[in-house]
Amino acid sequence: MNLKKIGVINSPYKTRAKAPFQGRHSSEICEVEIFEDFLPGLADVEGCTHLILLYWLDRADRSMLKAFPPHDGKEHGVFATRSPNRPNPIGVGVVELLAVEGERLKVRGLDALDDSPLIDIKPYFPEVDSTSNATVGWRK
Amino acid sequence: MNLKKIGVINSPYKTRAKAPFQGRHSSEICEVEIFEDFLPGLADVEGCTHLILLYWLDRADRSMLKAFPPHDGKEHGVFATRSPNRPNPIGVGVVELLAVEGERLKVRGLDALDDSPLIDIKPYFPEVDSTSNATVGWRK
């Protein structure tokens, strides 16, 4: 299972210390550049208000199976956390699509580090991708 | 960018023709098996009501940049569709976690084909992963 780099993310976050814990809490605009070979795949993307971006967390430690997330500071298995350090460090970001300018997408709500490899773009559909249910989250 | 297979999905869908277009429309239960090397990462996953599963669409055609989605039957760029045929065929499934039994997770709401390689498990957090906004979707 080999991934192809389909583009690159330009973000204001140069290091993890400067990135927000979650992009949804940020109003910064990021620019996503899609490489020429993959441009035909962008047709009609401008019709989407929101996208799911998959990107490679290239500065992550893939050997980690435990993490200390910020919300409680306790040790958890990585699969119960959103830590970037995990066996397959793929970031999933739900972003607002502001503009498509040729091979560049302007998006808001991303916490990717600058120069992260882009892996995939999908339209975000609330009826498929969201669960608006008061009982969702951590079990009480 | 090489992915590790961290587990495998057992689903009732043996072929794409028998799978639902989106798992969220299915009440079938799927079983996800995590391989032994990655089991420490599962600690505390049982605390999550919903998970995001990333899996490899191993029967997809990676050369496709256009697709004809079922909703309108017209050709679109793959990045404006959820077609499994795309350069990096990674499925993103938001599922309900029903039970954790040792190395097995029972989940509902997945449209993965049987025997799909599992890539990642993340907790689903509505405040990060969902956009409950009436204007989300296709632009009018």
Side-chain angles (χ1 to χ4, degrees):
Chain A
M1 301 186 286
N2 273 299
L3 296 174
K4 303 175 189 179
K5 184 174 174 178
I6 68 164
V8 66
I9 293 171
N10 298 127
S11 97
Y13 312 119
K14 306 294 178 195
T15 65
R16 188 152 345 138
K18 292 189 177 160
F21 280 121
Q22 293 296 340
R24 294 300 293 282
H25 304 142
S26 161
S27 58
E28 298 279 357
I29 293 171
C30 294
E31 213 172 65
V32 179
E33 181 193 341
I34 289 81
F35 297 152
E36 194 175 354
D37 285 353
F38 303 98
L39 279 182
L42 269 194
D44 306 319
V45 157
E46 69 277 4
C48 304
T49 64
H50 290 71
L51 300 172
I52 301 174
L53 301 184
L54 301 187
Y55 48 98
W56 189 249
L57 307 166
D58 59 340
R59 278 144 277 188
D61 178 347
R62 301 184 66 179
S63 70
M64 304 281 276
L65 290 172
K66 298 282 184 178
F68 293 84
H71 73 89
D72 71 356
K74 292 181 188 158
E75 187 183 72
H76 298 282
V78 284
F79 301 132
T81 80
R82 297 296 282 257
S83 170
N85 299 317
R86 52 206 308 122
N88 290 309
I90 296 173
V92 175
V94 176
V95 301
E96 183 184 358
L97 177 61
L98 303 175
V100 180
E101 296 169 357
E103 75 282 12
R104 290 173 183 276
L105 311 182
K106 286 209 160 89
V107 303
R108 183 157 47 203
L110 194 62
D111 61 1
L113 295 185
D114 190 41
D115 217 30
S116 295
L118 182 71
I119 297 172
D120 198 10
I121 301 170
K122 301 180 194 288
Y124 173 86
F125 297 127
E127 66 275 21
V128 171
D129 299 306
S130 82
T131 298
S132 49
N133 183 322
T135 65
V136 172
W138 292 103
R139 293 180 204 275
K140 308 297 175 200
Chain B
M1 300 187 286
N2 273 297
L3 297 173
K4 303 174 187 178
K5 185 174 175 179
I6 67 164
V8 66
I9 293 170
N10 298 127
S11 98
Y13 313 118
K14 306 292 179 197
T15 65
R16 188 152 347 138
K18 292 188 177 161
F21 281 120
Q22 294 296 341
R24 294 301 293 282
H25 304 141
S26 161
S27 58
E28 298 278 358
I29 293 171
C30 295
E31 212 172 67
V32 179
E33 180 192 342
I34 288 80
F35 297 151
E36 194 175 354
D37 285 354
F38 303 99
L39 279 181
L42 269 194
D44 306 319
V45 156
E46 69 279 3
C48 304
T49 64
H50 290 71
L51 300 172
I52 300 174
L53 300 184
L54 302 187
Y55 49 99
W56 189 248
L57 306 166
D58 59 339
R59 278 143 278 188
D61 178 348
R62 301 184 66 178
S63 69
M64 304 281 276
L65 289 172
K66 299 281 183 177
F68 293 84
H71 73 89
D72 71 356
K74 292 181 188 158
E75 188 184 71
H76 298 283
V78 283
F79 301 132
T81 80
R82 297 295 283 256
S83 170
N85 299 317
R86 53 205 308 123
N88 291 309
I90 296 173
V92 174
V94 176
V95 302
E96 183 184 359
L97 177 61
L98 303 174
V100 181
E101 296 169 356
E103 75 282 13
R104 290 172 183 276
L105 309 182
K106 286 209 160 89
V107 303
R108 182 156 49 202
L110 195 61
D111 61 1
L113 296 185
D114 190 40
D115 216 32
S116 296
L118 183 69
I119 297 173
D120 199 11
I121 301 170
K122 300 180 196 285
Y124 173 86
F125 297 128
E127 66 276 22
V128 170
D129 300 306
S130 82
T131 299
S132 49
N133 182 322
T135 64
V136 172
W138 291 103
R139 294 179 203 275
K140 307 299 176 200

